[in-house]
Amino acid sequence: MSRTFAGMLALALALSATGAAAQNRPPDEKEFVRQHLQNIVRVDPVRLTDPAVTSVFAVPLYRVMVEIGDPNGAARTSVMVGRQGDTLVVVSQPGEDQDRPDILKLLRPQFKLTGAAAAETVQNALDLVYPIIGSSADEKAKAFRHRGNDWIFVRGKFFDASMGFVLTTNAGGTITGVRYVLKLPT
């Protein structure tokens, strides 16, 4: 989590705290702060409508820009979120080896990963939802390949190894598993 986002999250939590100190304040003071917070904090959600994203992901995805005004300048950060029913979930950038069932839940079950064209669509969707962050070498490393039931999507370099996603499919091309791996198999 970025330092800026962590700071903004801490501010938001502090402003919405219902602890003992907040309970001692008159309710109208708390309401006053909530009503005027929009003058300081701006939240701008933008829905991802790219065809690659909407064909691969089943849930609406939004890049939310959060800006907190300050006399010394504004602090800005963005966060990717998805709407699952009545819940808004953070779509976090992977950073360690792990299975990602949270990502699997976001994918469209009807989408079939059966060939290069579908893999290119997935790669384009990943570019928008999980952009490559790093050097031009990371961008140059971007690729995909197919091995058995696994589709490997290289999203950059980790030291001398490639890192990225491994999407496992069944015989019909339905994605059945998502893993993030820092040292992908060659």
Side-chain angles (χ1 to χ4, degrees), residues 98-163:
Q98 66 184 156
D99 287 331
R100 294 298 306 256
D102 56 322
I103 295 174
L104 181 62
K105 289 179 187 177
L106 301 176
L107 300 179
R108 187 174 297 285
Q110 303 88 343
F111 181 80
K112 304 299 181 208
L113 184 48
T114 55
E120 189 67 39
T121 299
V122 170
Q123 189 76 287
N124 291 337
L126 292 174
D127 285 343
L128 294 167
V129 179
Y130 301 101
I132 293 175
I133 301 170
S135 67
S136 61
D138 289 321
E139 187 66 39
K140 288 178 186 174
K142 181 173 77 170
F144 62 84
R145 59 185 178 270
H146 183 217
R147 293 231 170 103
N149 288 345
D150 290 338
W151 285 86
I152 298 166
F153 293 87
V154 178
R155 306 296 297 158
K157 300 295 273 180
F158 182 70
F159 295 100
D160 290 333
S162 296
M163 65 180 177

Side-chain angles (χ1 to χ4, degrees), residues 84-103:
Q84 288 183 309
D86 291 335
T87 305
L88 202 59
V89 296
V90 174
V91 180
S92 62
Q93 185 82 9
E96 60 186 46
D97 289 347
Q98 66 184 156
D99 287 331
R100 294 298 306 256
D102 56 322
I103 295 174

